[in-house]
Amino acid sequence: MKFNTKTIHGGQEHDKAYGAVMPPIYQTSTYAQSTPGGHKGYEYSRTHNPTRHALENAFASIENGKFGLAFGSGLAAIDAVIKLLKPGDEVISTNDLYGGTYRLFTKVFENFGVKFHFIGMQEASKIEQYVNANTKLIWVETPTNPMMNIIDIKACAAIAKKHHLLLAVDNTFATPYLQQPLDLGADIVMHSATKYLGGHSDVVMGALVVKDAALAEKLYFIQNASGAICGPQDSFLVLRGIKTLHVRMQRHCENGKKVAEYLSAHPKIEKVYWPGFESHPNHEVAKSQMKDFGGMISFVTKGNNFEEAIKIVEKLKLFTLAESLGGVESLAGHPASMTHASIPKDEREKTGVVDSLIRLSVGIEDVEDLIADLKQALG
Ligand SMILES: *Cc1c(COP(=O)(O)O)cnc(C)c1O
């Protein structure tokens, strides 16, 4: 089955009771048993729920995996992955990663004795010098947030294999429409389904997909034992979102390209970060592992003025000033005062998050309206 068919049919079967084409929202915590243990495959909804199950099968299908797991948020999914580890274990992680992931690693799991090394991974060979006998996991996020760096997943997978480490990839920005990490050698794919998979800014959810049955069994155990699951209503919404993922992503990419080109030609703009430009330092890797370049764009204005950047995002009308990304509507963010405000200025500037950096999640509106909005705000 091709990807554009999988988004709609992958892992799905018609409802056994009435033939409902969409899985019903099984809004139930428990299931009747005829005799103790005599149930129809479902006992309690933390462990299993038919609506969530349909969604988990869809996750597995679109990522070319075998097993999907749905969680109450992206961070809950990451939390489950790190719970595979023990005190003393070490993780090598991308350095410019989603702020919440960094917070979970450093403020929660370091307390439990897991050690994290945060490194730049644009040259994957650098990873190897951090591998020791305690290393268990490589954590990769690509494209990175908000600098849009690209990390070579295949090269990371070769290092992980050589040293018997797990490789996990946060695929939130790219989505399986653009990049399929399991096919490139990753062991675990993670998503904040809140973003492109849900696609409509109406739900918070996380996902994991794996191929290996033993690894899946450990993760299902953690999912049930820790209990950070999502509800049936949210499962239904994300399942519905996935059915249009391919058409939405196609338009996000088309609009993203036009907006990136418009911005790069604008006299007020110093630099545009978008992996589709040939001048992007990781463009060749992006081209080889991604089908297209997505709708996430960051840019800085000439003079790098904090107040001017604030004025621009305030003046935007169609682009809503908000955290998050990946919905049908365009959003704008100012990392230095929003997502990255808690990081000291000189620290955040080391990774490129300067005062005038603005991040756009380009939606699927008419691109002429989006460009007109940017034009008046920059004007
Ligand atoms: C939003 C996001 C997360 C966290 O997901 P939540 O659903 O907000 O918990 C993790 N990684 C990336 C890249 C994200 O954008």
Side-chain angles (χ1 to χ4, degrees):
M1 211 187 273
K2 296 259 175 43
F3 184 79
N4 294 355
T5 309
K6 281 185 174 182
T7 57
I8 296 162
H9 299 287
Q12 303 305 302
E13 43 186 54
H14 294 316
D15 161 54
K16 288 195 187 82
Y18 300 108
V21 168
M22 272 303 279
I25 301 169
Y26 282 93
Q27 193 75 46
T28 186
S29 61
T30 191
Y31 307 82
Q33 307 191 6
S34 54
T35 181
H39 56 76
K40 297 177 175 165
Y42 296 92
E43 286 170 279
Y44 185 61
S45 280
R46 174 166 24 75
T47 320
H48 294 117
N49 174 280
T51 319
R52 195 177 91 217
H53 197 193
L55 173 68
E56 291 178 329
N57 288 340
F59 284 152
S61 171
I62 58 174
E63 281 289 3
N64 290 342
K66 288 206 178 116
F67 306 94
L69 299 94
F71 293 86
S73 69
L75 287 175
I78 301 172
D79 180 271
V81 174
I82 306 302
K83 282 176 177 161
L84 292 166
L85 307 180
K86 293 191 302 295
D89 286 349
E90 297 190 11
V91 179
I92 304 169
S93 167
T94 307
N95 62 352
D96 66 347
L97 89 162
Y98 178 73
T101 309
Y102 180 79
R103 183 177 58 196
L104 177 67
F105 288 175
T106 56
K107 299 275 198 270
V108 178
F109 282 107
E110 280 188 355
N111 289 338
F112 290 86
V114 179
K115 189 170 172 191
F116 295 86
H117 302 271
F118 296 97
I119 66 166
M121 290 183 173
Q122 286 102 285
E123 278 175 67
S125 58
K126 277 201 185 148
I127 294 172
E128 236 171 340
Q129 65 197 78
Y130 293 88
V131 176
N132 64 40
N134 297 324
T135 312
K136 295 285 153 55
L137 173 72
I138 301 175
W139 186 272
V140 168
E141 191 179 309
T142 181
T144 65
N145 174 30
M147 297 315 297
M148 307 304 297
N149 292 315
I150 303 291
I151 296 164
D152 186 337
I153 298 173
K154 247 189 197 160
C156 293
I159 294 166
K161 273 231 163 61
K162 181 173 161 198
H163 298 280
H164 308 289
L165 314 174
L166 288 173
L167 172 64
V169 176
D170 182 336
N171 205 26
T172 301
F173 268 40
T175 83
Y177 174 82
L178 296 178
Q179 128 186 322
Q180 295 176 316
L182 297 179
D183 288 351
L184 298 168
D187 302 289
I188 303 172
V189 177
M190 174 264 152
H191 278 277
S192 169
T194 314
K195 317 293 168 54
Y196 287 106
L197 298 189
H200 296 75
S201 306
D202 51 9
V203 62
V204 173
M205 189 189 286
L208 298 177
V209 180
V210 303
K211 275 184 172 163
D212 180 72
L215 179 58
E217 197 180 321
K218 286 182 197 165
L219 289 167
Y220 283 125
F221 179 85
I222 292 165
Q223 182 193 38
N224 183 49
S226 289
I229 50 131
C230 54
Q233 171 93 33
D234 287 354
S235 300
F236 176 89
L237 284 172
V238 173
L239 192 56
R240 182 163 79 160
I242 287 173
K243 289 178 194 289
T244 56
L245 177 66
H246 53 304
V247 279
R248 286 186 285 109
M249 285 309 293
Q250 187 180 352
R251 184 60 60 84
H252 282 296
C253 292
E254 288 166 10
N255 285 0
K257 181 170 193 285
K258 288 188 182 142
V259 168
E261 282 166 355
Y262 170 77
L263 291 172
S264 70
H266 196 284
K268 273 203 180 157
I269 288 177
E270 175 78 36
K271 192 165 169 52
V272 181
Y273 298 91
W274 181 66
F277 288 133
E278 272 174 32
S279 59
H280 186 287
N282 319 120
H283 177 69
E284 286 308 313
V285 178
K287 234 167 64 178
S288 73
Q289 72 185 16
M290 297 168 74
K291 180 178 162 181
D292 205 336
F293 305 105
M296 295 302 300
I297 299 168
S298 294
F299 66 94
V300 291
T301 49
K302 285 185 180 147
N304 189 32
N305 186 298
F306 185 91
E307 282 74 28
E308 186 189 43
I310 301 276
K311 269 207 194 95
I312 292 167
V313 293
E314 281 176 353
K315 272 179 131 178
L316 286 166
K317 293 193 177 91
L318 262 182
F319 281 85
T320 302
L321 179 60
E323 310 217 344
S324 199
L325 60 113
V328 290
E329 64 287 292
S330 293
L331 301 180
H334 180 243
S337 64
M338 295 166 73
T339 45
H340 291 62
S342 58
I343 306 171
K345 185 174 153 86
D346 47 331
E347 202 53 40
R348 66 172 156 79
E349 290 197 337
K350 268 189 221 156
T351 56
V353 184
V354 297
D355 281 351
S356 76
L357 186 82
I358 292 171
R359 190 190 78 178
L360 302 178
S361 170
V362 179
I364 63 171
E365 301 95 335
D366 191 295
V367 72
E368 286 182 21
D369 289 332
L370 296 179
I371 287 174
D373 192 31
L374 288 163
K375 187 173 178 187
Q376 65 79 21
L378 286 162

